[in-house]
């Protein structure tokens, strides 16, 4: 009896197995493989695919300062790799090293290999087309677009009546877009969208996907009007709210780029008020309203709106952006102090975005730059460059900031030289008695400041003891019994030690900076002698320069700084008032006759642009004292061309001839030749090159001082040319 049961069971098992064969077209076989495919292999593959979508969504970061990508994916260039499937026997080992999309691809392949029922050229398993679609989508997200296209084309060719055929066509079009076959993608999507009637009528979901894909294709070809058309059609229905909100936001951005502000505001206002849309798009739509609003009465309403948004605790992740745009609104209304306050709040916001910070620092820099506070502006522009990441350093905006910061760095350097040298020269020119009085007052000031600082520390220490402040090791009763039990006293002592002694290694004779000078009898030296040097008059009197050479050097540096500042303010920053201030001050302190002519000429130019009568004063000086110079010729004949083309050619040939003489070490001939040429080339653009070459030749045949004088002439006369800058560097080296 038992053997009979076993036999019957085996027979039934064999019949069931045979009837479920992929080679047998039976009702049982078709349903068995369809169910197994859908609820086993494909289910696992689709779950892996969904997980992969979540992963790329979390990795992708939108930059709302630029037009968003219609499809929120960041594909990495030159990082396309074929998946490496593990052929281990156990399924856990197979899946261990695969990404989510690779696992989805493997499941799709497994579904086809094990459950496909292609009998007499016809697929009998209705789930296989789904498997091929999953295969194509998985390959799409791993940037393997050619294999993805093959899988999608196979579905369209072999399963034209598949229930997902329209979705497959859309994915094929998107793949072609990624392969830069936009024209082919557009044609195929047009054919799809033409199906409007009968049983094949497109669903709203398919229409949304198709119009979104069309917008992607036209965006790649920069056909903006078509992008607007299809984004508008894609947002008529809201089957996919995430993509609909994204399409609306991009539509508003496109309108803004086209300067159609009213249309942009209408779109962003609609999205901001649409409560069922994802919140990130709604909050950024409010921000976009600021970007598209002019400085009028509507700014007041927007400020109130943003203040409510700031108070909402749900908006804490966006505080840096909200504060920034409130500041922009205040700046547009010329409320500069309020604007600065909100810009600073934006910088202090928790988890402020670095890209956002570049805009905030730039705005603060621009405000100070407009107010002629160039040193402060330089600090903020430097901050822009510090927080700018590698992927944005080549943006046009950042490059402009870098150029301005470079100019401001030169300005700051000269301003610093001017400030320091002015102070030193002022003190050096005081009588000895006034010098002592000056430093005695200074010492009294720093003593008073040190005493106030010490008292503040003691007050803080007493406050801490009164309220039980101290280490957790000690109680309130014993916190003052031992110094190191009181954390505030310990911190104060440590700070005071580092202020006096700096950071010292733990070793013998730590008070001495030079151990080689220590003898056994030196260990009792009082450390206060070193500390009190700040309070000794001799410490400061010894630093006052008395040597004429040192004072002359300081004077030269001060005058050079004044001259360079005048040129920077005049030509780079277009600030005539500050240029006049520096150049006229230089004129009063200058003793170098070589500077007199360029100073007068630059002041003449500035006052001429300001239509001031003072221009005639400097014009008369040039025409009277320097009638034969090129500056006088320019003033006399402002409309005269500098040279005719043939004359330019002659000058260039002459320069080449002299240059070759220099290369052949014929320095005496160079010197003589240039001296002979100079009277006839005063109006030539090559004049700075001739003078620099002449200075080089002087350096080869004469002494250092003569060489230095020649280079100084070039540096001062042609300060804004490459030759002048080169000569200035050489003078620095010679000094």
């Amino acid at each position: 009896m038992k053997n009979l049961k076993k036999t019957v069971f085996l027979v039934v098992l064999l019949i069931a197995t045979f009837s479920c064969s992929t080679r047998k077209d039976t009702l049982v076989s078709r349903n068995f493989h369809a169910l197994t495919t859908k609820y086993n292999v494909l289910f696992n593959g689709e779950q892996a695919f969904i997980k992969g979508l979540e992963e790329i969504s979390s990795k992708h970061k939108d930059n709302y300062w630029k037009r968003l990508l219609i499809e929120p994916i960041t594909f990495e260039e030159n990082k396309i790799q074929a998946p490496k499937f593990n052929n281990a026997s156990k399924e856990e080992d197979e899946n261990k090293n695969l990404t989510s999309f690779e696992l989805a691809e493997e499941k799709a392949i497994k579904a086809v290999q094990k459950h496909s029922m292609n009998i007499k050229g016809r697929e009998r398993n209705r789930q296989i087309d789904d498997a091929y679609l999953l295969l194509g989508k998985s390959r799409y997200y791993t940037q393997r677009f050619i294999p993805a296209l093959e899988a999608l084309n196979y579905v369209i060719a072999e399963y034209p009546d598949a229930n997902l055929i329209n979705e497959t066509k859309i994915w094929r079009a998107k793949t072609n877009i990624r392969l830069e076959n936009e024209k082919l993608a557009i044609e195929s999507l047009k054919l799809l969208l033409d199906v409007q009637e009968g049983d094949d009528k497109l669903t709203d979901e398919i229409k949304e996907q198709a119009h979104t894909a069309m917008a992607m294709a036209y965006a790649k070809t920069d056909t903006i009007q078509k992008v607007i058309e299809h984004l508008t059609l894609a947002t008529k229905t809201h089957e996919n709210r995430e993509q609909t909100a994204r399409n609306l936001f991009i539509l508003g951005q496109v309108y803004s780029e086209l300067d159609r502000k009213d249309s942009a505001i209408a779109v962003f206002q609609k999205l901001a008020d649409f409560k069922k849309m994802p919140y990130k798009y709604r909050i950024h739509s409010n921000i976009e309203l600021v970007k598209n609003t002019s400085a009028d009465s509507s700014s007041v309403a927007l400020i109130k709106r943003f203040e409510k948004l700031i108070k909402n605790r749900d908006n804490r992740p966006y505080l840096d952006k909200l504060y920034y745009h409130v500041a922009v609104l205040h700046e547009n209304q010329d409320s500069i102090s309020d604007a600065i306050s909100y810009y600073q709040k934006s910088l202090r916001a928790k988890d402020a975005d670095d890209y956002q910070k570049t805009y905030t620092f730039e705005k603060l820099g621009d405000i100070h730059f407009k107010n002629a506070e160039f040193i402060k502006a330089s600090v903020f522009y430097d901050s822009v460059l510090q927080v700018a990441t590698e992927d944005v350093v080549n943006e046009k905006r950042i490059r402009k900031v870098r150029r301005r910061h470079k100019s401001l760095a030169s300005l700051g350097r000269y301003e610093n030289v001017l400030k320091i040298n002015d102070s030193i020269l002022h003190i050096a020119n005081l009588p000895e008695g006034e010098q002592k009085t000056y430093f005695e007052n200074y010492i009294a000031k720093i003593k008073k400041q040190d005493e106030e600082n010490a008292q503040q520390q003691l007050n803080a220490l007493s406050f801490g003891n009164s309220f039980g402040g101290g280490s957790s090791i000690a109680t309130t009763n014993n916190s003052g019994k031992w110094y190191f039990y009181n954390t505030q006293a310990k911190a104060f002592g440590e700070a005071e030690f580092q202020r006096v002694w700096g950071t010292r290694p733990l070793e013998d004779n730590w008070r001495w900076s030079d151990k080689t000078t220590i003898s056994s009898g030196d260990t009792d030296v009082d450390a206060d002698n070193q500390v009190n040097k700040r309070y000794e008059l001799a410490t400061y009197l010894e630093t006052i320069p008395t040597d004429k050479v040192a004072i002359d050097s300081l004077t030269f540096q001060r005058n050079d700084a004044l001259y360079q500042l005048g040129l920077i303010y005049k030509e780079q920053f277009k600030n005539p008032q500050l240029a006049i201030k520096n150049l006229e001050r230089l004129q009063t302190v200058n003793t170098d006759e070589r500077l007199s002519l360029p100073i007068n000429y630059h002041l003449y130019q500035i006052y001429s642009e300001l239509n001031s009568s003072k221009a005639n004063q400097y014009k008369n000086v040039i025409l009277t004292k320097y009638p034969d110079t090129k500056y006088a010729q320019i003033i006399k004949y402002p409309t005269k061309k500098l040279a005719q083309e043939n004359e330019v050619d002659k000058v260039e040939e002459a320069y080449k001839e002299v240059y070759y003489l220099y290369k052949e070490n014929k320095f005496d001939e160079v010197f003589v030749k240039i001296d002979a040429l100079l009277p006839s080339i005063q109006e030539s653009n090559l004049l700075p090159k001739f003078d620099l070459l002449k200075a080089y030749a002087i350096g080869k045949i004469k002494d250092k001082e003569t060489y230095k004088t020649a280079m100084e002439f070039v540096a001062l006369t042609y300060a804004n040319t490459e030759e002048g800058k080169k000569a200035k560097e050489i003078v620095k080296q010679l000094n």
Side-chain angles (χ1 to χ4, degrees):
M1 189 66 181
K2 289 182 179 179
N3 291 332
L4 180 61
K5 289 181 178 180
K6 288 181 179 179
T7 303
V8 172
F9 175 76
L10 289 172
V11 170
V12 172
L13 182 62
L14 286 171
I15 292 172
T17 303
F18 178 74
S19 64
C20 293
S21 170
T22 58
R23 301 291 182 182
K24 195 170 182 65
D25 186 10
T26 64
L27 180 64
V28 174
S29 183
R30 289 195 300 269
N31 285 295
F32 170 79
H33 286 288
L35 289 172
T36 304
T37 304
K38 182 174 182 178
Y39 294 108
N40 185 4
V41 187
L42 271 188
F43 176 80
N44 292 330
E46 287 167 355
Q47 292 302 307
F49 183 79
I50 292 170
K51 183 180 178 182
L53 289 179
E54 292 172 352
E55 289 172 357
I56 64 170
S57 177
S58 63
K59 290 178 182 177
H60 178 77
K61 188 176 181 181
D62 284 316
N63 184 352
Y64 289 90
W65 287 96
K66 301 177 181 178
R67 194 202 301 178
L68 300 187
L69 300 173
I70 295 175
E71 189 177 33
I73 307 172
T74 304
F75 283 126
E76 298 182 23
E77 298 293 334
N78 303 321
K79 288 191 176 181
I80 303 174
Q81 297 179 354
K84 298 177 181 178
F85 298 135
N86 191 340
N87 294 320
S89 58
K90 293 184 179 179
E91 189 172 351
E92 292 81 2
D93 293 335
E94 290 181 6
N95 301 337
K96 184 169 59 176
N97 298 320
L98 300 180
T99 66
S100 297
F101 289 121
E102 289 171 351
L103 180 58
E105 180 180 351
E106 185 182 65
K107 294 299 182 183
I109 293 171
K110 184 178 179 180
V112 174
Q113 289 177 341
K114 290 191 174 184
H115 299 287
S116 176
M117 297 180 64
N118 195 327
I119 300 171
K120 295 181 181 181
R122 185 180 177 188
E123 180 60 58
R124 307 300 294 174
N125 185 347
R126 59 185 177 275
Q127 297 297 323
I128 295 304
D129 56 331
D130 298 55
Y132 274 109
L133 178 57
L134 177 62
L135 179 62
K137 292 193 294 186
S138 300
R139 288 173 173 174
Y140 178 90
Y141 283 114
T142 54
Q143 293 180 255
R144 297 165 56 240
F145 301 118
I146 299 297
L149 197 60
E150 291 175 353
L152 297 167
N153 278 330
Y154 184 81
V155 176
I156 295 168
E158 297 297 328
Y159 309 103
D161 298 325
N163 61 331
L164 297 177
I165 191 67
N166 291 330
E167 184 180 351
T168 306
K169 290 178 180 179
I170 293 170
W171 277 97
R172 181 179 66 173
K174 288 169 62 176
T175 307
N176 275 317
I177 293 169
R178 296 295 179 182
L179 291 170
E180 299 184 356
N181 295 328
E182 296 89 0
K183 186 176 180 181
L184 182 60
I186 291 169
E187 289 175 356
S188 64
L189 288 169
K190 281 182 178 179
L191 289 173
L192 175 63
L193 288 167
D194 284 342
V195 179
Q196 296 290 341
E197 298 178 355
D199 296 335
D200 295 330
K201 187 176 180 180
L202 301 180
T203 64
D204 287 344
E205 184 178 2
I206 291 298
K207 288 180 184 177
E208 276 190 16
Q209 293 179 18
H211 284 300
T212 301
M214 284 284 271
M216 285 176 58
Y218 282 119
K220 290 275 283 187
T221 61
D222 289 329
T223 313
I224 300 301
Q225 290 304 322
K226 286 292 184 180
V227 173
I228 293 173
E229 176 187 334
H230 287 284
L231 284 177
T232 304
L233 291 170
T235 55
K236 282 189 173 181
T237 53
H238 306 145
E239 295 297 321
N240 183 342
R241 286 181 183 171
E242 174 75 25
Q243 189 63 51
T244 299
R246 191 174 190 86
N247 290 344
L248 271 173
F249 192 87
I250 295 168
L251 181 61
Q253 288 182 311
V254 173
Y255 281 134
S256 181
E257 290 172 8
L258 297 175
D259 203 30
R260 294 164 61 177
K261 301 297 184 183
D262 291 340
S263 298
I265 290 172
V267 171
F268 288 126
Q269 188 66 62
K270 176 182 177 181
L271 184 53
D273 296 338
F274 207 146
K275 294 185 178 180
K276 292 185 178 181
M277 291 298 177
Y279 192 70
K280 61 181 179 180
Y281 296 113
R282 291 173 53 206
I283 192 69
H284 281 100
S285 292
N286 280 289
I287 291 170
E288 290 296 326
L289 289 173
V290 177
K291 297 179 184 178
N292 291 279
T293 300
S294 57
D296 55 18
S297 57
S298 59
S299 297
V300 177
L302 271 177
I303 289 173
K304 292 181 179 179
R305 182 173 186 167
F306 268 68
E307 287 174 348
K308 290 181 180 179
L309 291 171
I310 288 169
K311 292 177 182 178
N312 187 342
R313 292 175 61 85
D314 293 336
N315 292 329
R316 283 180 291 181
Y318 308 103
L319 280 178
D320 57 334
K321 300 176 179 64
L322 295 174
Y323 281 133
Y324 172 86
H325 286 90
V326 173
V328 170
L329 291 169
H330 280 297
E331 188 177 355
N332 290 342
Q333 292 184 322
D334 292 328
S335 301
I336 303 302
S337 59
D338 290 333
I340 291 174
S341 174
Y342 275 101
Y343 283 134
Q344 291 171 342
K345 287 180 180 179
S346 175
L347 293 173
R348 292 195 298 268
K350 187 179 180 182
D351 301 325
D353 179 64
D354 282 345
Y355 193 75
Q356 171 66 61
K357 285 182 179 179
T358 64
Y359 279 93
T360 310
F361 280 127
E362 184 183 1
K363 281 286 189 180
L364 287 167
D366 290 344
I367 288 173
H368 290 294
F369 189 86
K370 289 176 183 176
N371 293 334
E373 299 170 334
F374 298 113
I375 304 303
K376 289 183 179 179
S378 178
V379 173
F380 286 111
Y381 290 140
D382 181 67
S383 298
V384 173
L385 302 177
Q386 293 298 323
V387 300
T389 54
E390 292 183 4
D391 56 332
V392 301
V393 291
N394 290 322
E395 287 185 7
K396 183 179 179 180
R397 177 178 63 90
I398 302 297
R399 294 200 304 269
K400 180 182 176 182
V401 168
R402 188 183 296 112
R403 288 194 299 270
R404 182 169 282 187
H405 175 259
K406 187 176 180 181
S407 299
L408 287 171
S410 301
L411 181 76
R413 186 168 63 252
Y414 288 122
E415 288 282 10
N416 194 45
V417 169
L418 180 62
K419 182 179 179 180
I420 293 172
N421 287 22
D422 268 345
S423 299
I424 296 173
L425 290 171
H426 170 71
I427 295 170
N429 290 327
L430 291 175
E432 186 176 348
E434 291 185 23
Q435 289 175 349
K436 289 181 179 180
T437 303
Y438 178 88
F439 285 116
E440 284 171 354
N441 293 335
Y442 175 74
I443 291 169
K445 181 180 177 181
I446 62 172
K447 277 184 178 180
K448 182 180 179 182
Q449 186 63 48
D450 288 347
E451 289 171 1
E452 290 176 356
N453 291 339
Q455 187 61 47
Q456 288 177 1
Q457 294 284 355
L458 289 173
N459 292 342
L461 181 61
S462 300
F463 179 81
N465 287 338
S466 300
F467 290 92
S471 173
S472 58
I473 300 173
T475 63
T476 306
N477 294 331
N478 66 7
S479 61
K481 290 184 179 180
W482 192 43
Y483 176 83
F484 290 100
Y485 277 167
N486 192 309
T487 55
Q488 290 180 330
K490 179 182 174 184
F492 171 69
E494 183 178 353
E496 185 66 13
F497 177 88
Q498 290 182 349
R499 185 185 70 79
V500 175
W501 299 101
T503 303
R504 295 298 178 97
L506 183 61
E507 59 185 357
D508 292 338
N509 302 315
W510 56 267
R511 289 187 295 181
W512 297 90
S513 59
D514 185 0
K515 302 294 188 297
T516 59
T517 61
I518 301 175
S519 64
S520 59
D522 292 333
T523 55
D524 295 330
V525 176
D526 187 1
D528 287 342
N529 290 336
Q530 182 176 352
V531 180
N532 290 337
K533 283 185 177 180
R534 294 178 66 245
Y535 304 147
E536 291 179 1
L537 186 61
T539 302
Y540 303 98
L541 294 176
E542 291 170 358
T543 62
I544 301 175
T546 55
D547 183 63
K548 185 179 183 302
V549 175
I551 292 175
D552 288 346
S553 176
L554 290 169
T555 303
F556 174 80
Q557 292 173 9
R558 189 268 314 276
N559 291 352
D560 179 62
L562 283 169
Y563 184 69
Q564 297 298 335
L565 287 170
L567 294 186
I568 290 172
Y569 286 127
K570 170 180 176 267
E571 297 177 3
Q572 293 186 32
F573 297 151
K574 309 300 180 185
N575 192 314
Q577 288 73 26
L578 290 176
I580 290 171
K581 175 185 174 183
N582 284 277
L583 291 173
E584 287 190 339
R585 186 192 164 197
L586 174 60
Q587 197 171 43
T588 61
V589 298
N590 175 51
T591 57
D592 189 346
E593 183 61 27
R594 291 170 301 176
L595 276 176
S596 179
L597 175 59
I599 292 171
N600 279 281
Y601 182 73
H602 288 302
L603 287 170
Y604 160 73
Q605 281 188 314
I606 296 170
Y607 280 117
S608 295
E609 291 177 1
L610 296 176
N611 295 318
S612 171
S613 59
K614 289 193 73 173
N616 291 326
Q617 172 187 334
Y618 297 104
K619 173 183 175 181
N620 293 332
V621 171
I622 296 169
L623 295 178
T624 304
K625 294 182 65 177
Y626 312 100
D628 298 325
T629 62
K630 67 172 184 176
Y631 297 112
Q633 297 301 312
I634 292 172
I635 292 172
K636 288 179 182 178
Y637 312 107
T639 59
K640 182 181 178 182
K641 293 183 179 179
L642 292 179
Q644 299 298 327
E645 289 185 7
N646 58 342
E647 292 176 349
V648 171
D649 292 338
K650 289 179 182 178
V651 174
E652 288 179 353
E653 288 299 321
Y655 180 77
K656 289 179 182 177
E657 181 183 344
V658 177
Y659 180 74
Y660 288 133
L661 288 174
Y662 179 84
K663 295 292 285 183
E664 293 171 3
N665 297 326
K666 298 177 180 179
F667 305 118
D668 288 311
E669 292 184 39
V670 171
F671 187 80
V672 173
K673 189 84 173 175
I674 291 176
D675 269 352
L677 285 168
L678 284 177
S680 62
I681 60 172
Q682 287 299 310
E683 296 179 353
S684 172
N685 291 330
L686 294 179
L687 183 59
K689 290 185 179 295
F690 278 101
D691 277 330
L692 180 61
L693 191 60
K694 178 182 175 182
Y696 279 135
I698 290 173
K700 298 293 185 180
I701 60 178
K702 297 193 177 182
D703 59 86
K704 178 181 175 182
E705 284 303 316
T706 307
Y707 177 46
K708 179 181 172 184
T709 302
M711 281 297 174
E712 286 176 348
F713 171 78
V714 177
L716 293 172
T717 307
Y718 314 107
N720 290 323
T721 65
E722 290 298 324
E723 292 78 14
K725 293 174 183 177
K726 180 66 177 176
K728 187 176 179 181
E729 290 296 322
I730 294 172
V731 171
K732 285 183 179 179
Q733 293 174 9
L734 292 173
N735 285 335

